[in-house]
Amino acid sequence: GASGALYGILMAFGMVFPNLEVRLILVPVPIKAKYLVFLIGFVTYAMDRSGTVAHMAHFGGAFVGFIIITIWRSQGQR
């Protein structure tokens, strides 16, 4: 549901602005957006010990975000 949509937006952000440096509130160290996408995805997957996170929904949302940005780029839109 909503978490998959957020991962789609996160993936799209990482693809559109890959070299933008972002500072998180909890960790005030600058990190490029393209690395932040993978870091958040990895941390979400690695920290789930209870098995309650719908990983396929997160992956599906990120995949759809990737597909949409790829299609838009191929049409000349940005």
Side-chain angles (χ1 to χ4, degrees), residues 2-59:
S3 61
L6 288 175
Y7 274 79
I9 292 169
L10 181 67
M11 177 61 78
F13 175 76
M15 289 180 69
V16 174
F17 305 107
N19 294 317
L20 182 72
E21 289 190 349
V22 179
R23 291 179 188 252
L24 300 176
I25 293 173
L26 299 174
V27 184
V29 177
I31 183 170
K32 291 188 177 186
K34 60 185 172 186
Y35 302 128
L36 180 66
V37 171
F38 290 109
L39 180 68
I40 289 176
F42 175 75
V43 167
T44 301
Y45 184 74
M47 299 297 284
D48 179 36
R49 300 193 188 273
S50 64
T52 58
V53 175
H55 296 292
M56 289 308 291
H58 294 169
F59 175 74

